[in-house]
Amino acid sequence: MRQPKHGGNLAWAAAVAGCPRDAILDFSASINPLGPTDSTASAIKSQLGNIRHYPDPDYSELKQVLGRFHNLPPEFILPGNGSAELLTWAGRELAEVAATVLVTPTFGDYYRALRAFNAEVLEFPMSLIIPDLSLILDKLNTTKDKGLLLNNPHNPTGKLFLRGEILPYLKEFALVVVDEAFMDFLHPLEQQSLIDVVSEYPNLVILRSLTKFYSVPGLRLGYAIAHPERLQRWQTWRDPWAVNSLAVAVAIAAVEDKEFQQQTWEWLPKARNDLFASLGDIPGLQPLEGAANFLLVESKHSVIELQQKLLKQHQILIRDCLSFPELGDRYFRVAVRLESENQRLVQGIREIKVRS
């Protein structure tokens, strides 16, 4: 079975470990371990009778709910079959400009979306220790005919860029797409989202995911925020019913679940800091500080070897970074999970290090 490019491939992990899929403790996919919530199950149950009908192709109720959530008119929102589907249409838009700038290392699916439409790509490496976006403009002769595709918080480092670092680019680039898939893991007072300036910039697109924070990746649900004219164009490019009725119901219930949101914001900082400290105490490992619900860890030894041993000896799956060419076999990424699970990961790595 082929080595997975994305996290969360439990079929591959179970085959390597020689165990059932549900025996794998998955640190490779950065999903909130506190969910799914009871409201998710209730929302699905409430809509089972409606699966005999087509969804509303305009997703009017969901747009209204998301609009209230972000204080935006609903026509600025387009729900999608995961942010991955919406990234495809962003790739089509970016193919219309002269070239698209990527700050590397970056999410591998960006290349998929851009290559699907033969978009020209310009890569600019970022320091993992002191990331500096201003270096991009210094290296470009002109940006007026180019696009920028950036994630914030950054994947795979977890680095959070300040609003002030990104805002100048909105006046420099023809099109700016900001992937904020992990932004909702930060408390609203700490978020650096550009959602509140979308109405001012017709060249700005923001992508959001609902599956990671609310623990429903199997449902595939995300949304784009941009000027209505752009979203209307995207709608003409895709299937008429991109989001199924059950996913719509879960999305509405999720964004209205204030208790779960608060619980996550209170849980994550300490859990991440504790995992950061525990991994940093292991000789040969150096985690990088980040603001998301995952940690990128540098290793002095082969990550593929560590990944295989963790699977076979402890049924634990970590995310290798082979899909990030700049990182290769000396970095891995782990989600922040519950305290007992994080301790199991740390103990498993320690035991492997002792035996090696």
Side-chain angles (χ1 to χ4, degrees):
M1 192 176 292
R2 185 181 302 176
Q3 186 89 358
K5 291 184 178 181
H6 295 277
N9 192 326
L10 298 185
W12 174 84
V16 173
C19 68
R21 288 175 44 147
D22 57 8
I24 299 294
L25 178 54
D26 185 15
F27 281 87
S28 71
S30 300
I31 307 300
N32 190 343
L34 303 184
T37 64
D38 292 340
S39 61
T40 298
S42 298
I44 291 175
K45 185 177 180 180
S46 71
Q47 289 299 309
L48 287 177
N50 287 329
I51 61 174
R52 63 171 63 92
H53 306 297
Y54 285 102
D56 170 12
D58 294 324
Y59 302 106
S60 302
E61 183 182 3
L62 177 55
K63 288 180 181 179
Q64 291 283 350
V65 170
L66 290 171
R68 289 195 298 270
F69 186 69
H70 291 297
N71 196 28
L72 282 173
E75 58 267 25
F76 277 76
I77 298 168
L78 180 66
N81 189 241
S83 57
E85 184 233 338
L86 300 164
L87 178 59
T88 298
W89 311 130
R92 180 168 175 172
E93 290 268 16
L94 289 164
E96 297 177 2
V97 299
T100 296
V101 171
L102 294 180
V103 179
T104 61
T106 196
F107 183 36
D109 217 35
Y110 296 166
Y111 295 96
R112 187 270 308 166
L114 293 168
R115 288 168 181 161
F117 301 100
N118 298 313
E120 185 72 22
V121 176
L122 300 177
E123 298 178 309
F124 288 84
M126 178 184 73
S127 168
L128 299 184
I129 306 302
I130 308 177
D132 188 349
L133 290 180
S134 65
L135 295 178
I136 298 174
L137 288 179
D138 293 342
K139 295 178 181 178
L140 286 168
N141 294 326
T142 178
T143 57
K144 296 297 183 181
D145 62 344
K146 296 179 176 62
L148 172 65
L149 176 51
L150 179 72
N151 41 23
N152 190 33
H154 182 258
N155 179 10
T157 67
K159 157 71 178 179
L160 179 66
F161 297 113
L162 300 179
R163 282 166 47 93
E165 295 179 79
I166 304 176
L167 281 171
Y169 292 84
L170 303 182
K171 298 179 181 179
E172 297 288 341
F173 284 87
L175 178 61
V176 177
V177 179
V178 183
D179 180 359
E180 295 185 352
F182 294 98
M183 188 66 76
D184 44 6
F185 281 97
L186 286 95
H187 189 279
L189 296 178
E190 299 172 343
Q191 291 185 14
Q192 299 295 316
S193 176
L194 296 182
I195 288 177
D196 63 345
V197 299
V198 165
S199 61
E200 303 173 35
Y201 293 95
N203 64 326
L204 173 61
V205 175
I206 295 175
L207 302 180
R208 281 285 184 122
S209 170
L210 287 166
T211 59
K212 297 174 177 61
F213 187 90
Y214 297 102
S215 316
V216 287
L219 281 178
R220 311 306 310 131
L221 188 64
Y223 54 101
I225 298 176
H227 269 236
E229 295 79 7
R230 187 182 303 278
L231 298 182
Q232 289 166 10
R233 186 164 61 250
W234 288 21
Q235 181 67 36
T236 66
W237 294 342
R238 66 180 191 165
D239 296 337
W241 301 283
V243 185
N244 69 73
S245 299
L246 300 183
V248 169
V250 167
I252 292 172
V255 298
E256 293 180 339
D257 194 338
K258 307 301 183 185
E259 182 179 348
F260 179 75
Q261 294 160 14
Q262 187 64 40
Q263 182 185 12
T264 299
W265 296 327
E266 292 175 356
W267 154 78
L268 179 57
K270 182 180 186 304
R272 183 179 57 230
N273 292 341
D274 289 348
L275 181 58
F276 178 92
S278 296
L279 290 171
D281 285 340
I282 300 176
L285 298 185
Q286 180 56 62
L288 278 66
E289 292 188 4
N293 64 322
F294 58 81
L295 292 172
L296 181 66
V297 184
E298 183 178 8
S299 172
K300 292 184 178 180
H301 306 288
S302 170
V303 165
I304 298 304
E305 182 179 344
L306 175 62
Q307 182 189 59
Q308 295 280 321
K309 288 182 177 179
L310 278 171
L311 276 171
K312 294 176 180 179
Q313 298 175 20
H314 299 279
Q315 292 77 54
I316 294 175
L317 175 60
I318 60 173
R319 169 74 185 273
D320 67 66
C321 289
L322 296 183
S323 62
F324 304 98
E326 302 83 1
L327 302 182
D329 193 31
R330 287 297 181 266
Y331 286 86
F332 64 91
R333 202 187 70 189
V334 290
V336 181
R337 296 188 59 91
L338 301 178
E339 181 179 4
S340 61
E341 296 170 329
N342 295 338
Q343 291 175 350
R344 181 177 158 188
L345 169 68
V346 171
Q347 184 60 32
I349 295 176
R350 287 188 184 278
E351 291 181 9
I352 289 171
K353 293 287 186 182
V354 169
R355 295 172 186 168
S356 300

